């Protein structure tokens, strides 16, 4: 997003801001990553969400396979007493 804003300013597509707004502080502050102390809550949420989605996907796949086999068996059933 910042690169886009720089490009707009470079090409002069935006009118110059008043001097009072030129030195305002940004609401978004970027700080250097601290690799000595990982964000364990974020790591846990990421892996937990991934595991939950995989569990849901495998469960849904197993249900779909069972339904496919049930319909395949019902389609192959040609008894005259049932119909």
């Amino acid at each position: 997003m910042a690169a886009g804003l720089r490009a707009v300013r470079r090409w002069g597509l935006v009118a110059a801001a008043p001097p009072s707004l030129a030195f305002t502080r940004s609401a978004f502050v970027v700080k250097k990553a601290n690799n000595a102390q990982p964000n364990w809550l974020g790591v846990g949420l990421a892996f937990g969400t991934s595991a939950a989605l995989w569990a849901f996907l495998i469960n849904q796949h197993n249900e779909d396979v069972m339904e496919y086999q049930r319909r395949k068996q019902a389609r192959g059933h040609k008894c005259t007493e049932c119909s």
Side-chain angles (χ1 to χ4, degrees), residues 11-70:
W11 293 326
L13 299 175
V14 173
S20 62
L21 296 178
F23 297 105
T24 58
R25 229 181 120 151
S26 174
F28 304 102
V29 178
V30 178
K31 56 184 177 178
K32 191 172 182 174
N34 185 2
N35 293 331
Q37 295 178 340
N39 180 3
W40 290 113
L41 178 64
V43 171
L45 283 173
F47 281 115
T49 303
S50 180
L53 287 173
W54 272 105
F56 175 75
L57 179 69
I58 291 169
N59 185 31
Q60 188 66 42
H61 171 72
N62 291 339
E63 288 178 5
D64 290 345
V65 168
M66 287 174 44
E67 180 68 16
Y68 169 75
Q69 290 173 349
R70 185 190 64 78

